[in-house]
């Protein structure tokens, strides 16, 4: 922890010499610094050069390549098809005519497959010609920013079609709120998993608008309990631009939210070991369900007031996509189809579920 950008190199030499009495400490420190730098672990010129090169590589690529095939889901087509067959065995597609969208998890499909099944089974046949707006959690992006890309997404099922006209319109209408060709897309799973399930549902060339929603962190921690659009003029402008685009479409777009909910336990900084549906997690379920009721009722303010409680001690990583949807589609009403808690390890739990949205 002495390689912190503040401790001088001579101070590191002296500390190691005092601890070891080895006069060769300078050589050890120099070797360690060079090794860390070459690996990109120090925030120095080498790190920034490597980062900028990666960003340029993604920006110049024609396709967003899969980042999680072979880990989050099979990269072999027959194996993937067999996995989907197992996930959806016995499920029945909804025939709802007034579907507005769904919320599905972005947790590993193997951990959350039952919620994925319920969410995607709620999408009726006959929507293959619609545009699907995917609102994903941006785990790595800047707060109050929306990451866009013009690139189609490749998966083992094929290549999606990205609605570049929508992307360009949002960029023109709210440029200060947008990060275009956001590198976060290159590694983010919250949209990749939704693109994959949409392809399975409507075919490889399904048309999407992939949007990564950055956290509204200032609105969570602001002591005056302001709403995201009050805290960020950029967010307000983006909500308006996205809603206006959607309202002008001859066929209303379908909304897909890639969202997990609470993150509890040791992995996430809590002082207790979390076990799904036990002990502290029973209270988490009660609070999750209260937030979901506000979402289902289209109550954006009520939902956000609950997120702000205790500075979001539930750590809902999907709060920004949910809130964005509620602001852009205020007429939508939801039905919770499934709620789950899953031990991502033996001391930590992620909660998620499936929600169907229809016109009020």
């Amino acid at each position: 922890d002495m390689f912190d950008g503040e401790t001088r190199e001579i101070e590191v030499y002296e500390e190691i010499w005092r601890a070891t009495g080895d006069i060769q400490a300078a050589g050890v420190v120099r070797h360690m610094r060079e090794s860390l730098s070459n690996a990109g672990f120090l925030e120095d010129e080498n790190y920034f050069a490597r980062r900028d090169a990666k960003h340029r590589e993604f920006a110049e690529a024609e396709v967003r390549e899969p980042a999680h095939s072979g880990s989050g889901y099979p990269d072999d087509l027959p194996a993937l098809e067999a996995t989907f067959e197992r996930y959806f065995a016995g499920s029945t597609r909804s025939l709802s005519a007034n579907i507005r969208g769904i919320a599905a998890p972005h947790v590993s499909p193997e951990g959350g497959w039952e919620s994925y099944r319920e969410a995607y089974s709620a999408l009726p046949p006959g929507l293959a010609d619609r545009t699907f707006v995917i609102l994903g959690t941006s785990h790595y992006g800047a707060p109050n920013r929306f990451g866009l890309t013009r690139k189609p997404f490749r998966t083992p099922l094929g290549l999606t079609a990205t609605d570049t006209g929508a992307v360009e319109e949002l960029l023109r209408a709210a440029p200060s709120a947008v990060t275009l060709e956001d590198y976060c897309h290159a590694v983010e799973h919250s949209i990749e998993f939704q693109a994959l399930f949409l392809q399975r549902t409507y075919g490889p060339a399904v048309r999407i608008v992939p949007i990564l929603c950055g956290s509204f962190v200032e609105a969570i921690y602001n002591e005056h309990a302001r709403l995201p659009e009050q805290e960020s003029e950029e967010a307000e402008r983006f909500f308006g631009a996205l809603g206006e685009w959607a309202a002008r479409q001859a066929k209303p777009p379908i909304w897909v939210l890639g969202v997990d909910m609470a993150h509890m336990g040791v992995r996430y900084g809590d002082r207790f070991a979390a076990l799904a549906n036990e002990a502290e997690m029973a209270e988490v379920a009660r609070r999750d369900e209260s937030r979901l009721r506000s979402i289902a009722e289209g109550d954006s303010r009520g939902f956000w007031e609950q997120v702000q409680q205790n500075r979001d001690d539930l750590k809902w990583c999907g709060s920004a996509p949910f809130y964005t949807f509620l602001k852009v589609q205020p007429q939508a009403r939801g039905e919770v189809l499934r709620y789950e808690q899953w031990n991502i390890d033996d001391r930590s739990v992620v909660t998620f579920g499936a929600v169907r949205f229809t016109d009020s």
Side-chain angles (χ1 to χ4, degrees):
D1 60 357
M2 297 189 74
F3 289 90
D4 57 5
E6 297 180 1
T7 306
R8 293 180 301 162
E9 196 162 311
I10 187 64
E11 293 177 297
V12 182
Y13 297 158
E14 292 171 352
E15 183 66 25
I16 293 181
W17 180 80
R18 280 194 294 269
T20 66
D22 186 353
I23 199 169
Q24 301 299 321
V28 173
V29 172
R30 188 177 302 111
H31 175 72
M32 185 182 300
R33 172 173 52 77
E34 290 174 355
S35 298
L36 291 171
S37 175
N38 290 337
F41 290 125
L42 295 183
E43 198 170 287
D44 57 9
E45 290 183 1
N46 182 58
Y47 164 78
F48 289 113
R50 290 163 64 102
R51 182 199 64 183
D52 293 346
K54 283 288 187 182
H55 287 199
R56 282 195 304 273
E57 179 183 351
F58 177 73
E60 294 169 1
E62 294 183 359
V63 171
R64 190 278 190 184
E65 298 290 348
H68 300 279
S69 63
S71 55
Y73 56 89
D75 55 8
D76 174 73
L77 185 56
L80 178 60
E81 291 173 340
T83 298
F84 276 138
E85 185 175 345
R86 173 167 58 86
Y87 289 171
F88 286 88
S91 65
T92 302
R93 294 282 293 280
S94 168
L95 299 177
S96 174
N98 65 338
I99 189 78
R100 178 64 56 169
I102 59 170
H106 61 233
V107 73
S108 165
E110 198 61 34
W113 67 269
E114 291 178 291
S115 286
Y116 280 104
R117 179 191 63 195
E118 294 302 314
Y120 282 91
S121 295
L123 292 174
L127 299 180
D129 62 341
R130 299 291 187 93
T131 296
F132 292 83
V133 182
I134 307 177
L135 300 177
T137 298
S138 184
H139 291 93
Y140 314 106
N144 304 317
R145 302 281 285 188
F146 297 86
L148 302 182
T149 179
R150 304 181 183 96
K151 305 181 196 311
F153 279 55
R154 191 195 309 280
T155 78
L157 296 178
L159 204 61
T160 68
T162 293
D163 189 333
T164 57
V167 172
E168 296 294 348
E169 179 171 332
L170 293 171
L171 178 61
R172 287 193 302 271
S176 62
V178 167
T179 301
L180 185 62
E181 300 309 345
D182 183 4
Y183 178 74
C184 296
H185 274 290
V187 295
E188 181 60 70
H189 60 282
S190 64
I191 286 180
E192 179 176 334
F193 291 163
Q194 311 314 318
L196 181 74
F197 277 84
L198 282 171
Q199 287 181 313
R200 181 261 172 195
T201 307
Y202 293 111
V206 63
R207 186 168 62 250
I208 65 173
V209 181
I211 302 174
L212 288 174
C213 302
S215 170
F216 302 135
V217 63
E218 291 92 344
I220 294 175
Y221 289 99
N222 190 299
E223 62 183 11
H224 301 296
R226 287 157 60 91
L227 298 173
E229 64 270 26
Q230 295 171 330
E231 190 67 33
S232 168
E233 188 176 305
E234 290 82 5
E236 182 178 27
R237 188 173 296 115
F238 189 85
F239 295 157
L242 184 56
E244 289 170 10
W245 168 83
R248 289 200 313 275
Q249 304 311 299
K251 293 185 177 181
I254 304 299
W255 302 79
V256 174
L257 284 60
V259 285
D260 289 342
M261 300 175 194
H263 293 67
M264 310 302 295
V266 175
R267 176 186 289 218
Y268 305 113
D270 293 310
R271 295 184 177 181
F272 62 89
L275 293 175
N277 305 305
E278 296 185 16
E280 293 91 344
M281 294 308 299
E283 174 64 11
V284 171
R286 186 194 67 77
R287 294 176 63 192
D288 279 351
E289 289 161 5
S290 178
R291 294 187 186 192
L292 286 169
R293 278 195 299 275
S294 293
I295 290 169
E297 293 165 2
D299 182 5
S300 59
R301 179 181 288 273
F303 168 64
W304 197 256
E305 287 174 352
Q306 292 180 78
V307 173
Q308 288 173 319
Q309 291 173 5
N310 304 319
R311 297 187 172 185
D312 192 23
D313 57 327
L314 297 186
K315 302 176 284 294
W316 263 45
C317 74
S319 60
F322 270 125
Y323 190 80
T324 297
F325 175 75
L326 292 174
K327 294 300 295 183
V328 173
Q329 295 291 288
Q331 76 280 19
R333 297 295 179 266
E335 176 188 0
V336 179
L337 304 175
R338 190 175 185 85
Y339 171 79
E340 292 188 72
Q341 298 187 355
W342 177 57
N343 267 97
I344 194 169
D345 62 36
D346 60 0
R347 298 192 295 172
S348 310
V349 170
V350 178
T351 73
F352 45 83
V355 182
R356 171 174 53 202
F357 295 102
T358 57
D359 288 326
S360 60

